[in-house]
Amino acid sequence: MMRFAIAILAAAALLSGSAYAAETIRVGVTAGPHAEITEVVKKVAAERGLDIKLVEFTDYVFRTRPSRSGISKRTPSSMNPI
Amino acid sequence: MSPELINLLVQAAGESLFMVSVAALLATSFGLPIGVFLATSGKGELFAAPKVNAILGVIVNATRSTPFIILVVAIIPFTRLVAGTSIGSGAAIVPLTIAATPFIARLVEAAIRDVDGGLIETASSFGASPLQIVFKVLIPEALPGLVLALTLAVVSLLGYSAMVGAVGGGGLGDLGIRYGYQRFMPEMMLAVVVVLIALVQTVQTVGDHLAKRVNRRLRHR
């Protein structure tokens, strides 16, 4: 189950990353388990050439705010680039 | 503790020092004039302007009564306007400065009001202008109190800075919450608290020492 979750998150990261090829994407995560899981995603993604920078928020709402890059607030992803 | 965790701790300490020192500097440059004005603009005082004084007092009180965490999230659009982003340590300086300015203003007001009224009378009977009284009598006489007030403000800012994790600000307090509490690593929380205790002790010792050095009343004795 855990492995499955990581695979999904990694896929999500790689998909959202393809549009930003060869640059670092910043991903906002909620502190705690979400951040710990995404740290593994970060490692997996790094092996495949995608650079992810994690920004941890102790507040859930703020992390899901639409960013200036125009990501829709409705994106129901736990991996919103910020 | 693993080297990784120590690395995190060092990085967080750097973020804390950056946020607190810049915010303290900015808040002092705004808070000092406001405080002096609050202390000298009452009825029958140097720059008597009781109405402005009352309005400024209300604004200062309102800002001071807003809980810091609410201030942080409420002024996000303003933060973005000023800092260009609302995320990270740099952006966190904006709410920290806004929270600390009225606090410093009130502390400065108290320190200035502590100056012996007889000195002001003496200076004005010698023909000193109100500005001269401020810069040559009030501020030098109140300097030890001002230094202690700023020390107090810096220590409070360190406490405030624990809350900017809500906007990804990082820093020591935030690290303690994120790792110590949310990742169940009590040793990390303890380490953060120990570092903070050391920091506050240092700040307070330096502040006390400086306050003693600038005390004219002691020096002339």
Side-chain angles (χ1 to χ4, degrees):
Chain A
M1 187 59 210
M2 187 71 175
R3 227 179 242 175
F4 178 69
I6 290 172
I8 299 252
L9 284 170
L14 290 175
L15 279 178
S16 57
S18 58
Y20 304 79
E23 64 179 295
T24 306
I25 59 168
R26 288 201 303 166
V27 177
V29 294
T30 316
H34 186 186
E36 289 177 75
I37 292 169
T38 322
E39 271 167 16
V40 180
V41 172
K42 181 181 170 173
K43 273 185 201 139
V44 174
E47 281 165 18
R48 305 194 188 173
L50 173 66
D51 201 10
I52 295 181
K53 189 176 180 292
L54 298 182
V55 183
E56 278 187 55
F57 296 96
T58 50
D59 177 72
Y60 176 76
V61 177
F62 187 71
R63 181 188 70 74
T64 55
R65 273 170 166 259
S67 68
R68 296 189 83 194
S69 55
I71 305 294
S72 164
K73 196 176 186 177
R74 280 168 295 159
T75 313
S77 165
S78 57
M79 296 287 296
N80 283 342
I82 55 171
Chain B
M1 271 173 60
S2 74
E4 270 170 59
L5 292 186
I6 292 178
N7 213 358
L8 278 172
L9 199 61
V10 172
Q11 197 192 335
E15 284 165 354
S16 275
L17 288 178
F18 167 65
M19 289 190 288
V20 169
S21 51
V22 178
L25 214 66
L26 289 174
T28 306
S29 54
F30 299 136
L32 193 64
I34 297 177
V36 172
F37 182 76
L38 278 174
T40 53
S41 59
K43 211 171 164 189
E45 287 174 321
L46 275 182
F47 301 101
K51 277 192 186 140
V52 185
N53 183 301
I55 293 169
L56 199 60
V58 169
I59 295 174
V60 164
N61 288 346
T63 320
R64 287 205 55 206
S65 39
T66 312
F68 183 62
I69 187 72
I70 291 180
L71 186 77
V72 170
V73 294
I75 63 161
I76 283 172
F78 178 72
T79 304
R80 190 172 292 150
L81 196 74
V82 175
T85 172
S86 51
I87 297 166
S89 307
I93 289 172
V94 178
L96 283 173
T97 305
I98 291 179
T101 300
F103 181 52
I104 291 181
R106 282 291 185 218
L107 291 172
V108 167
E109 183 191 1
I112 296 281
R113 284 202 185 281
D114 226 24
V115 174
D116 190 354
L119 280 172
I120 303 174
E121 238 171 78
T122 313
S124 59
S125 68
F126 275 121
S129 71
L131 272 180
Q132 276 177 324
I133 294 180
V134 168
F135 286 106
K136 302 205 162 147
V137 179
L138 288 180
I139 291 183
E141 278 297 320
L143 208 51
L146 291 176
V147 170
L148 286 179
L150 293 183
T151 312
L152 184 61
V154 168
V155 172
S156 303
L157 269 176
L158 264 174
Y160 281 161
S161 74
M163 275 177 267
V164 297
V167 291
L172 282 168
D174 180 47
L175 184 76
I177 281 288
R178 282 192 286 120
Y179 281 71
Y181 178 63
Q182 284 166 332
R183 295 194 187 194
F184 304 102
M185 297 165 83
E187 71 276 14
M188 194 63 174
M189 200 185 272
L190 187 68
V192 162
V193 172
V194 169
V195 173
L196 280 173
I197 290 174
L199 263 177
V200 170
Q201 283 290 350
T202 314
V203 169
Q204 192 65 51
T205 311
V206 170
D208 287 343
H209 183 72
L210 271 178
K212 220 175 260 171
R213 271 192 60 176
V214 296
N215 195 330
R216 307 212 309 175
R217 274 165 263 178
L218 284 182
R219 216 192 309 151
H220 288 310
R221 227 165 250 168

